[in-house]
Amino acid sequence: MAGSQRLKRMADTVQRELSELIRQELKDPRLGGLVTISAVKVSPDLGYAEVYVTVMGRELGDEQSESANKETLDVLNKASGFLRHELGRRIKTRITPRLRFHYDKTNAYGNYMFGLIAEAVKDLPPAEEKKDDE
């Protein structure tokens, strides 16, 4: 149990510091939109950190945004050595995990589903309010 708390604290610290590093230090123009770290999972031996990112302003299913998201992931994965070095300087731990970036489709999928639901219910008649006869 204590190990899981340690991993959670480490994941939270990595998430906080990485988001700041990406925002302040990476100046690559291929990083389109707002890159947000949605989750970080650290391996039990602290050797790897799986970093899940979303790119705000892009929708699911659009081929251009899919390729742009892939390009964003490529930029982040290529910058992972630099980010790991800077992360190690900031968090000052004996072991700094290697970073692997993955695209998190959760927000985009939620927006897509919300759009589908809105489209489906727009043709329905408005719900009648219940009237109390008392």
Side-chain angles (χ1 to χ4, degrees), residues 12 25 28 31 40 45 67 69 80 82 86-87 91 94 105 121-122 130-132 134:
D12 290 344
E25 301 294 328
D28 197 313
L31 283 176
V40 174
D45 65 351
S67 65
N69 290 334
S80 65
F82 166 75
E86 290 298 316
L87 186 64
I91 62 176
R94 189 171 63 87
K105 293 183 179 181
V121 299
K122 79 176 184 180
K130 221 178 188 181
K131 294 182 182 178
D132 290 331
E134 299 176 334

Side-chain angles (χ1 to χ4, degrees), residues 60-75:
L60 185 68
D62 184 358
E63 284 188 26
Q64 286 181 333
S65 62
E66 288 291 327
S67 65
N69 290 334
K70 184 178 178 339
E71 186 176 31
T72 299
L73 283 179
D74 289 343
V75 169

Side-chain angles (χ1 to χ4, degrees), residues 17-29 31 75-76 79 82-87 89-90:
E17 294 297 330
L18 265 182
S19 63
E20 194 172 307
L21 279 169
I22 290 171
R23 189 181 70 239
Q24 294 176 351
E25 301 294 328
L26 288 185
K27 303 297 182 196
D28 197 313
L31 283 176
V75 169
L76 290 172
F82 166 75
L83 292 171
R84 181 180 183 218
H85 174 74
E86 290 298 316
L87 186 64
R89 288 178 16 153
R90 288 183 179 211

